[in-house]
Amino acid sequence: MSERHEPPEVAPPRHETRDISLRAVIAGGVVIGVAVGGLVILADMLFPQKSLDRLLKPPFPVIAEPALQSDPAADMAAFHAREMATLNGFGWTDPAHGAGHIPIEQAMRQIAREGINGWPVDGESGP
């Protein structure tokens, strides 16, 4: 008892017309265009200094190019040497006000010997 089933009648293939609406695409494009245009106008109102660019006259100021370190270890050693010379030497910090610096070891000995005005001493409680 084998029955033969005939395939149902199928319509010829065609594109789906309900996927997208041309009206929606056009309306979306108009909305995006109006939004971008509005943002451009808003940016122009918020940042009016764009006209300053037109006021600059040549020759334009020369901006130094970034200096690359060719030898970072040597640069760090030179920096360390300058810092140690400052820490271990005498010099003026602000000559106009009579402020200078002394070697760090000497300063620590002097502070240990004389103390700091208003600083609590061992065994003394604060206010």
Side-chain angles (χ1 to χ4, degrees):
M1 306 227 161
S2 70
E3 292 183 25
R4 271 183 87 97
H5 291 278
E6 294 293 324
E9 203 54 43
V10 178
R14 57 186 172 84
H15 73 279
E16 185 69 46
T17 58
R18 295 175 292 165
D19 285 346
I20 191 165
S21 167
L22 183 60
R23 184 176 296 159
V25 170
I26 292 173
V30 168
V31 168
I32 290 173
V34 168
V36 168
L39 289 173
V40 167
I41 291 170
L42 180 66
D44 190 43
M45 290 183 338
L46 289 176
F47 305 104
Q49 60 268 43
K50 70 176 176 130
S51 62
L52 292 178
D53 294 341
R54 294 186 195 129
L55 298 177
L56 291 175
K57 305 273 189 262
F60 298 116
V62 177
I63 299 173
E65 294 182 8
L68 300 177
Q69 286 183 308
S70 59
D71 189 2
D75 293 343
M76 188 63 190
F79 170 75
H80 184 261
R82 285 191 310 270
E83 292 293 310
M84 294 310 290
T86 302
L87 279 175
N88 296 316
F90 295 91
W92 287 107
T93 305
D94 187 1
H97 293 97
H101 64 88
I102 61 175
I104 189 77
E105 292 292 328
Q106 181 181 346
M108 288 192 299
R109 281 193 303 273
Q110 187 175 345
I111 291 295
R113 185 174 56 247
E114 298 172 10
I116 299 174
N117 290 335
W119 194 267
V121 181
D122 288 339
E124 185 180 310
S125 64

